[in-house]
């Protein structure tokens, strides 16, 4: 990503670029570094200081005292303003990318005007401001590209052969992040966060470097190792800069910056050796199921932006005047000791001063003191041209004086405890007793990345995102602005991050930002994320099509002995709708498949998925017309026992019988409905199993069944009493034996029992609930087959919901189990049930063709006079096996029909 800071007249140019010349020099000298660092450590400190003093005397550049230099720069910085400045972000990232949002948020907070575009020079926002003043843009801030390299960006990964000190394997491998803010003269900072992997760890993890050292070797030794690590990295960068000055390559941009990743190995004595260098941020070896890598990266980038672009006021005034004053006051003879400084040298000195004032989570790496290390002294002696070229050495001395001033001041204020250094941003599992004073989210991380509407803003509390059909899970991690605030998903004790199943249609996730510092947790802010998952991509049916069938989806092959995906059904000709076999099905577990019309069976995107239907192989399941269904259900009592999937079948039956569903509840206990079919049909329901209770407190299946029967009495010992048993995956053979024993004991052995078998669910890796592997799902298919065979052996009716749901396992609706194929809600407009609407449409078509005996006006009146209802049971898959249930309960009333 490219950053340009714009000012009229003279402009500060800042760009993050790859650095071929710098990195080639590093490749040449890193082996030299690893072979000489031990020799350098053996020399005494005072000798190094003497060399430094001698160099300064030879150059005659002993300038101001550090305190005087600091005061002079403070006077200038007090007049800093954002007037006339703007920053352009260029690149291929979209506005919804969290990294782009990070750049925009931080830089706006710092007082800069922001815009994004691939071609900055054409952006109208940066050609003129509100007062018509032009904002020119520098076309390039990097050295000219080499022949054949124009328009390319290279990735330089430099492996280094480890020295003998780590030949037997390191005790720790560490990735540290270095920000080079200037190459000539060299200024660099080290971020206090790094990735660490010890010989005991399988994966790397993010941690504070000083804290890591302190935990393992105590306070004093940790400071020594930390300083040695900084010195090693500083030596490598110095070697690169000095050799670059010797090369014939074009001069580097003085105000460019580069973020780098150094990989170091530590031996048993915790001596660091650089083994690899990469441009940009790299988080190799980090297992990242919880977005730790992305969060860590963006925290480092945020610290980098705040270091490079300090906050400034938006005072009105002419930036040209400020520039002229700077040039007059600090150029030529106006500067003490008659040292001439160009505007960009002066700007570099000012920026270094500002960076030292508020380093945030960056530690100064170079220049770190008023003396050179032994290795740096050797390199300067080896490359004398670099020492004397240009104004670099004089500016370097000023930078050293500034760094010396701030090091002494910080040392006097420091408590000396490395673990007390502020690092408010890295995630922590420890509880903080301080209050949550800023209850807002910093960012919302999702995998896959969601395009939020509106774009995320900490002050906006409600968002919407659309996802395609194939996205069935989303991992979400909200990150709070303050570590004192705690985040929970959906409820007070919900997880901090979670893997969510995304059902078809609308899903809702609540994000609670809480203050847990008191005796009771308090919800401070609630963010809401609405996710809409699209239906399967579908084309409208054409005149010419082929019929395709499928038993299972290739994304979850439950039956390895069967093909997956669409296959052509040869017996169905083009332009023919699927025709049912001549005879009605004699059982609810007849083998079958889903059929759908397509232009081609090799591409499921060419199918009309609105017309998908369940088709048994050699029979059909009749659909009863309304009046026959009501007659069938007259004076019947239907008892349901099972989980929420069985409850969905019950509510579908209630809506079909009554044509309306006026009462609905997510019942988790026992409930009885008396108001069906003009009061002539009773429906009762008992939720089983009550999984939320402790095992010792859960009612047994036998007890739950007995209580349901008692609540539903009086009952006839005949097929006028129907017991429907089933759920997702709890039903086992033992339950069938229990049903038989209870019914015989209660003199109800002649009632009709319908076993709704197992179904697809719990097949997604969702946090907080159990999930089945592919092998587990395949094993469940065998269990389901045994249940069906044993139930039929006992004389029970069965419905094979497992075979029906496994081919459409992606089409679940809301619910973390991914097992709900129904949803009850209020319709947006008054409608009629699907089965009646199909009948009416068929009658209207007959009237238009002249075959109907009723006038079209009468039929239209019937269509619009159908009673409205309060609730509607949605879900095509639930409708299929619910209609099969009705056909088995009402076998004597069956007439020809096809299931839709």
């Amino acid at each position: 990503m490219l950053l340009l800071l714009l000012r009229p007249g003279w402009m500060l140019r800042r760009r993050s670029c790859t650095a071929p010349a710098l990195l080639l020099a590093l490749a040449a000298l890193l082996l030299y570094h690893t072979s000489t660092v031990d020799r350098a450590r053996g020399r005494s400190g005072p000798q190094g200081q003497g060399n430094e003093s001698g160099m300064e005397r030879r150059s005659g550049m002993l300038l101001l005292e550090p305190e005087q230099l600091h005061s002079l720069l403070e006077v200038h910085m007090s007049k800093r303003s954002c007037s006339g400045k703007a920053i352009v972000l260029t690149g291929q990232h979209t506005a919804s990318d969290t990294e782009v949002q990070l750049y925009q948020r931080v830089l706006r907070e710092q007082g800069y005007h922001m815009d994004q575009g691939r071609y900055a020079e054409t952006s109208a926002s940066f050609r003129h401001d509100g007062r018509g003043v032009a904002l020119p843009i520098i076309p390039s801030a990097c050295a000219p590209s080499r022949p054949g390299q124009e328009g390319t960006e290279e990735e330089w990964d430099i492996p280094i052969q480890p020295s003998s000190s780590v030949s037997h394997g390191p005790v720790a491998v560490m990735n540290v992040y270095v920000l080079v803010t200037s190459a000539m003269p060299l200024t660099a900072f080290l971020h206090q966060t790094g990735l660490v992997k010890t010989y005991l760890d399988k994966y790397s993890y993010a941690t504070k470097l000083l804290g890591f050292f302190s935990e393992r070797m105590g306070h004093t030794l940790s400071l020594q190792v930390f300083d040695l690590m900084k010195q090693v990295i500083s030596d490598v960068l110095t070697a690169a800069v000095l050799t670059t000055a010797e090369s014939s390559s074009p001069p580097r941009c003085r105000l460019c910056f580069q973020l780098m990743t150094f990989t170091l190995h530590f031996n048993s004595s915790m001596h660091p050796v650089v083994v690899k260098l990469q441009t940009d941020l790299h988080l190799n070896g980090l297992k990242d199921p919880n977005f730790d890598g992305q969060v860590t990266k963006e925290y480092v980038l945020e610290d980098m932006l705040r270091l490079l672009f300090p906050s400034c006021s938006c005072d009105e005034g002419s930036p040209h005047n400020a520039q002229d004053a700077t040039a007059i006051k600090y150029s030529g003879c106006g500067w003490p000791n008659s040292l001439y400084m160009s505007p960009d040298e002066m700007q570099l000195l000012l920026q270094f001063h500002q960076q030292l004032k508020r380093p945030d989570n960056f530690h100064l790496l170079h220049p770190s003191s008023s003396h050179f290390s032994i290795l740096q002294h050797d390199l300067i002696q080896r490359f004398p041209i670099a020492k004397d070229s240009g104004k670099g050495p004089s500016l370097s001395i000023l930078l050293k004086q500034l760094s010396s001033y701030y090091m002494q001041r910080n040392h006097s204020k420091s408590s000396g405890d490395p673990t007390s250094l502020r690092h408010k941003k890295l995630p922590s599992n420890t509880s903080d007793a301080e209050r949550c004073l800023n209850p807002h989210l910093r960012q919302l991380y999702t995998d896959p990345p969601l395009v939020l509407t509106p774009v995320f803003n900490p002050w906006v509390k409600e968002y919407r995102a659309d996802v395609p059909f194939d996205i069935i899970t989303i991992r979400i991690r909200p990150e709070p602005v303050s570590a004192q605030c705690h985040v929970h998903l959906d409820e007070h004790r919900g997880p901090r991050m979670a893997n969510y199943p995304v059902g078809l249609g609308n899903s809702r996730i609540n994000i609670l930002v809480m203050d847990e510092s008191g005796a009771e947790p308090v919800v401070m802010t609630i963010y809401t994320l609405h996710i809409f998952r699209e239906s399967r991509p579908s084309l409208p049916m054409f005149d010419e099509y082929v019929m395709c069938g499928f038993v299972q989806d290739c994304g979850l092959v439950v039956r390895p002995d069967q093909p997956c995906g669409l296959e052509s059904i040869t017996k169905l000709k083009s332009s023919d709708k699927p025709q049912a076999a001549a005879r009605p099905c004699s059982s609810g577990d007849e083998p079958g498949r889903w059929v759908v019309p397509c232009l081609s069976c090799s591409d499921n995107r060419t199918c009309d998925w609105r017309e998908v239907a369940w088709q048994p192989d050699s029979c059909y399941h009749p659909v009863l017309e309304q009046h026959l269904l009501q007659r069938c259900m007259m004076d019947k009592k239907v008892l349901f026992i099972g989980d929420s999937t069985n409850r969905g079948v019950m509510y579908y039956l209630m809506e079909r019988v009554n044509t309306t569903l006026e009462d609905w509840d997510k019942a988790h206990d026992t409930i009885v409905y008396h108001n069906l079919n003009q009061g002539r049909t009773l429906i009762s329901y008992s939720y089983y199993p009550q999984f939320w209770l402790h095992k010792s407190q859960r009612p047994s299946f036998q007890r739950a069944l007995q209580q349901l029967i008692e609540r539903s009495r009086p009952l006839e010992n005949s097929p006028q009493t129907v017991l429907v048993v089933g759920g997702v995956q709890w039903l086992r053979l033992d339950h069938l034996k229990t049903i038989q024993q209870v019914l015989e004991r209660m003199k109800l052995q002649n009632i009709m029992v319908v076993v709704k078998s197992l179904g697809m669910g719990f097949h997604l890796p969702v946090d907080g609930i159990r999930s089945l592997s592919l092998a587990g799902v395949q094993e469940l298919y065998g269990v389901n087959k045994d249940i069906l065979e044993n139930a039929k052996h006992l004389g029970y009716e069965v419905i094979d919901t497992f075979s029906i749901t496994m081919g459409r396992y992606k089409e679940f609706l809301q619910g973390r189990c991914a097992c709900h194929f129904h949803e009850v809600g209020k319709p947006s407009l008054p409608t009629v049930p699907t089965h009646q609407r199909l009948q009416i449409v068929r009658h209207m078509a007959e009237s238009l063709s002249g075959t109907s005996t009723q006038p079209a006006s009468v039929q239209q009146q019937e269509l619009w006079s159908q009673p409205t209802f309060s609730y509607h049971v949605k879900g095509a898959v639930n409708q299929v096996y619910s209609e099969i249930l009705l056909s088995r309960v009402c076998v004597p009333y069956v007439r020809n029909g096809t299931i839709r």
Side-chain angles (χ1 to χ4, degrees):
M1 185 170 290
L2 178 67
L3 297 178
L4 294 177
L5 180 62
L6 312 175
R7 296 188 65 179
W10 60 277
M11 292 168 287
L12 171 61
R13 304 171 293 171
R14 309 186 65 82
R15 178 177 291 182
S16 177
C17 319
T18 54
L22 174 62
L23 293 178
L24 285 175
L26 283 173
L29 282 178
L30 278 173
L31 280 178
Y32 167 78
H33 162 71
T34 57
S35 64
T36 59
V37 67
D38 289 328
R39 175 171 57 87
R41 290 178 66 206
R43 303 186 183 182
S44 61
Q47 182 181 356
Q49 294 179 5
N51 291 332
E52 159 63 14
S53 300
M55 189 201 75
E56 292 192 356
R57 286 195 296 272
R58 287 193 300 272
S59 61
M61 296 301 176
L62 289 175
L63 306 172
L64 296 174
E65 291 294 326
E67 293 80 2
Q68 294 175 307
L69 180 60
H70 171 266
S71 300
L72 191 61
L73 294 175
E74 281 291 289
V75 171
H76 180 80
M77 294 304 296
S78 64
K79 299 181 179 180
R80 178 178 174 82
S81 171
C82 291
S83 179
K85 299 178 183 178
I87 294 179
V88 185
L89 299 182
T90 67
Q92 303 296 325
H93 296 282
T94 63
S96 61
D97 190 285
T98 58
E99 189 173 324
V100 174
Q101 295 176 25
L102 169 73
Y103 276 75
Q104 293 175 332
R105 174 178 59 82
V106 174
L107 292 172
R108 283 182 179 133
E109 289 174 358
Q110 298 297 88
Y112 299 92
H113 175 73
M114 290 292 306
D115 198 5
Q116 181 186 5
R118 294 181 62 180
Y119 305 102
E121 63 274 9
T122 63
S123 174
S125 301
F126 291 94
R127 298 179 68 87
H128 301 280
D129 65 9
R131 297 167 297 177
V133 177
L135 292 175
I137 298 175
I138 294 178
S140 177
C142 289
S145 301
R146 297 181 180 179
Q149 290 184 340
E150 185 172 358
T152 65
E153 181 174 343
E154 299 183 35
E155 179 67 26
W156 292 83
D157 293 350
I158 304 178
I160 311 300
Q161 184 66 33
S163 67
S164 59
S165 60
V166 291
S167 59
H168 298 293
V171 297
V173 179
M174 187 176 293
N175 276 9
V176 298
Y177 306 114
V178 175
L179 176 62
V180 178
T181 54
S182 171
M184 281 294 282
L186 175 63
T187 57
F189 295 83
L190 171 70
H191 200 272
Q192 71 168 5
T193 302
L195 291 189
V196 174
K197 177 184 176 182
T198 70
Y199 69 95
L200 298 175
D201 301 316
K202 186 176 180 180
Y203 299 100
S204 300
Y205 60 93
T207 185
K208 289 186 282 189
L209 302 176
L210 263 175
F212 171 77
F213 292 135
S214 180
E215 289 174 2
R216 283 156 178 77
M217 58 191 68
H219 170 53
T220 303
L221 285 178
S222 66
L223 292 177
Q224 295 176 6
V225 172
F226 187 68
D227 288 339
L228 177 60
M229 181 182 69
K230 292 199 298 181
Q231 187 64 64
V232 166
I233 299 173
S234 179
D235 289 346
V236 172
L237 291 175
T238 301
V241 169
L242 293 179
T243 52
T244 301
E246 291 289 294
S247 67
S248 58
S249 61
R252 297 284 305 160
C253 162
R254 188 184 297 274
L255 296 174
C256 289
F257 62 88
Q258 179 69 57
L259 195 56
M260 299 180 176
T261 300
F262 280 75
T263 301
L264 300 99
H265 284 185
F266 289 82
N267 59 19
S268 57
S269 63
M270 296 306 289
H271 173 70
V273 176
V274 177
V275 296
K276 190 174 184 181
L277 169 62
Q278 297 169 284
T279 57
D280 212 339
L281 280 171
H282 291 268
L283 298 105
N284 311 77
L286 179 67
K287 186 179 181 181
D288 197 14
N290 300 326
F291 303 94
D292 287 343
Q294 188 175 1
V295 173
T296 301
K297 177 180 179 180
E298 294 190 14
Y299 276 132
V300 174
L301 289 176
E302 178 175 347
D303 291 334
M304 179 195 75
L305 292 173
R306 296 189 186 281
L307 187 72
L308 294 171
F309 301 97
S311 59
C312 53
S313 63
C314 295
D315 298 333
E316 296 295 329
S318 172
H320 294 279
N321 294 339
Q323 171 211 336
D324 295 341
T326 300
I328 294 173
K329 186 170 184 179
Y330 297 121
S331 297
C333 298
W335 185 259
N337 292 347
S338 300
L339 175 64
Y340 175 81
M341 295 192 73
S342 63
D344 61 343
E345 288 177 326
M346 182 59 201
Q347 185 62 38
L348 192 149
L349 182 63
L350 289 170
Q351 87 167 22
F352 186 65
H353 170 65
Q354 187 68 30
Q355 291 161 2
L356 291 176
K357 287 180 63 178
R358 297 182 180 275
D360 200 30
N361 292 319
F362 277 99
H363 297 270
L364 178 62
L365 189 66
H366 188 94
S368 59
S369 65
S370 60
H371 67 276
F372 286 113
S373 71
I374 301 301
L375 181 58
Q376 292 173 3
H377 172 74
D378 290 347
L379 290 171
I380 291 177
Q381 298 303 317
R382 190 176 176 188
F383 301 100
I385 296 179
K387 177 181 65 174
D388 300 325
S389 59
K391 295 292 188 295
S394 61
L395 184 54
S396 296
I397 294 173
L398 292 175
L399 298 175
K400 288 178 181 292
Q401 289 179 307
L402 272 180
S403 66
S404 176
Y405 170 81
Y406 278 100
M407 287 183 67
Q408 293 176 5
R409 189 180 74 169
N410 293 340
H411 180 73
S412 63
K413 293 182 178 180
S414 175
S415 64
D417 180 7
T419 61
S420 68
L421 293 175
R422 180 174 62 90
H423 189 60
K424 64 180 184 301
K425 299 174 180 176
L426 273 182
S428 173
N429 293 326
T430 58
S431 176
D432 197 322
E434 296 182 16
R435 294 183 57 194
C436 173
L437 300 178
N438 188 2
H440 294 90
L441 294 181
R442 175 182 177 272
Q443 187 53 267
L444 189 61
Y445 298 97
T446 63
D447 181 28
L450 297 180
V451 179
L452 300 182
T453 303
V455 175
F456 181 80
N457 184 316
W459 302 102
V460 177
K461 302 302 187 299
E462 196 152 358
Y463 298 90
R464 178 184 171 90
D466 296 340
V467 297
F469 172 78
D470 288 330
I471 299 241
I472 56 179
T473 59
I474 289 178
R475 189 152 187 83
I476 179 171
R477 171 175 173 173
E479 188 69 10
V481 171
S482 171
Q484 285 72 36
C485 300
H486 297 260
V487 174
H488 297 277
L489 297 173
D490 284 337
E491 57 185 6
H492 290 195
R493 297 183 179 180
R496 177 178 170 229
M497 66 192 78
N499 210 37
Y500 275 89
V502 184
L504 289 178
N506 291 304
S507 298
R508 173 174 174 162
I509 301 174
N510 288 326
I511 304 167
L512 282 60
V513 183
M514 302 180 63
D515 183 359
E516 299 182 358
S517 61
E520 295 291 334
V522 178
V523 177
M524 306 293 289
T525 308
I526 298 178
Y527 292 80
T528 302
L529 175 59
H530 301 275
I531 301 176
F532 179 82
R533 180 169 163 234
E534 300 170 352
S535 299
R536 190 187 293 268
S538 180
L539 284 180
M541 191 161 49
F542 295 93
D543 292 336
E544 293 295 324
Y545 57 86
V546 294
M547 293 306 300
C548 307
F550 63 96
V551 175
Q552 57 189 341
D553 192 290
C554 293
L556 189 66
V557 179
V558 180
R559 298 184 60 186
D561 61 316
Q562 292 288 320
C564 67
L566 294 176
E567 287 190 317
S568 177
I569 302 178
T570 56
K571 67 180 180 181
L572 294 176
K573 299 179 181 179
S574 177
S575 299
D576 287 341
K577 291 187 176 181
Q579 299 296 318
R583 66 176 183 87
C585 294
S586 60
S587 175
D589 66 339
E590 291 283 352
R593 68 192 63 220
W594 291 98
V595 295
V596 59
C598 306
L599 294 179
S600 170
C601 293
S602 61
D603 189 350
N604 60 16
R605 297 171 299 179
T606 68
C607 303
D608 188 348
W609 288 99
R610 300 169 302 174
E611 299 295 325
V612 64
W614 176 255
Q615 180 65 59
D617 293 338
S618 57
C619 61
Y620 70 93
H621 293 291
V623 177
L624 276 73
E625 295 184 358
Q626 184 70 25
H627 68 282
L628 290 176
L629 178 60
Q630 290 177 338
R631 285 176 55 190
C632 165
M633 299 302 295
M634 193 71 70
D635 299 324
K636 272 188 168 61
K637 293 186 177 182
V638 186
L639 289 63
F640 289 84
I641 183 170
D643 58 27
S644 55
T645 62
N646 215 26
R647 189 175 60 206
V649 177
M650 178 187 71
Y651 282 123
Y652 181 88
L653 181 151
M654 292 170 62
E655 183 179 346
R656 276 280 271 126
V657 171
N658 256 23
T659 70
T660 64
L661 184 61
E662 298 177 355
D663 194 4
W664 169 74
D665 184 23
K666 290 184 178 181
H668 286 81
D669 49 11
T670 302
I671 189 169
V672 181
Y673 296 97
H674 297 273
N675 59 340
L676 269 77
N677 205 9
Q678 300 178 357
R680 300 288 299 273
T681 302
L682 179 140
I683 302 290
S684 60
Y685 170 76
S686 180
Y687 193 97
Y688 181 86
Q690 297 182 2
F691 56 87
W692 59 91
L693 297 177
H694 190 272
K695 289 184 178 181
S696 62
Q697 298 177 332
R698 293 178 193 170
S700 66
F701 177 70
Q702 176 178 322
R703 180 183 175 190
L705 178 57
Q706 290 173 344
Q707 288 179 343
L708 175 64
I709 291 175
E710 294 296 338
R711 288 284 303 273
S712 306
R713 286 190 183 276
L715 298 174
E716 291 186 18
N717 186 20
S718 74
Q720 285 294 94
T721 301
V722 181
L723 174 64
V724 183
V725 183
V728 188
Q729 292 165 11
W730 60 267
L731 188 63
R732 292 295 185 268
L733 296 179
D734 289 344
H735 295 105
L736 300 181
K737 295 178 181 179
T738 301
I739 294 172
Q740 184 184 33
Q741 294 169 357
V742 170
L743 295 182
E744 289 179 352
R745 186 168 58 251
M746 303 186 79
K747 308 300 182 182
L748 294 171
Q749 65 272 19
N750 294 326
I751 71 171
M752 174 181 283
V753 177
V754 183
V755 175
K756 171 188 167 293
S757 72
L758 310 184
M760 286 301 298
F762 302 98
H763 52 273
L764 300 178
V766 176
D767 295 325
I769 63 173
R770 68 184 183 96
S771 62
L772 293 174
S773 63
L774 175 59
V777 176
Q778 292 172 345
E779 181 181 353
L780 206 63
Y781 176 81
V783 174
N784 185 75
K785 187 175 180 181
D786 291 342
I787 290 174
L788 293 171
E789 292 177 354
N790 280 268
K792 289 191 292 185
H793 180 73
L794 292 171
Y796 300 157
E797 290 283 350
V798 295
I799 305 171
D800 184 7
T801 46
F802 196 95
S803 297
I804 293 173
T805 57
M806 73 178 184
R808 299 178 70 177
Y809 77 95
K810 291 182 179 179
E811 298 181 50
F812 62 90
L813 297 168
Q814 291 188 32
R816 301 191 68 188
C817 63
C819 63
H820 295 142
F821 293 91
H822 76 281
E823 186 176 74
V824 181
K826 291 185 177 181
S828 56
L829 293 173
T831 61
V832 293
T834 303
H835 74 282
Q836 289 190 8
R837 185 168 64 252
L838 294 173
Q839 298 280 357
I840 292 171
V841 170
R842 179 170 58 83
H843 290 321
M844 292 186 67
E846 291 174 354
S847 67
L848 293 176
S849 64
T851 60
S852 175
T853 58
Q854 286 185 321
S857 59
V858 175
Q859 296 174 40
Q860 287 180 343
Q861 183 178 1
E862 287 182 0
L863 174 64
W864 300 114
S865 63
Q866 293 295 330
T868 62
F869 49 84
S870 301
Y871 300 99
H872 174 53
V873 182
K874 299 182 292 183
V877 178
N878 178 76
Q879 178 185 351
V880 166
Y881 51 72
S882 297
E883 288 288 354
I884 295 176
L885 168 68
L886 296 179
S887 72
R888 302 315 305 159
V889 172
C890 299
V891 171
Y893 297 86
V894 160
R895 291 188 177 182
N896 292 344
T898 56
I899 197 162
R900 297 294 299 253

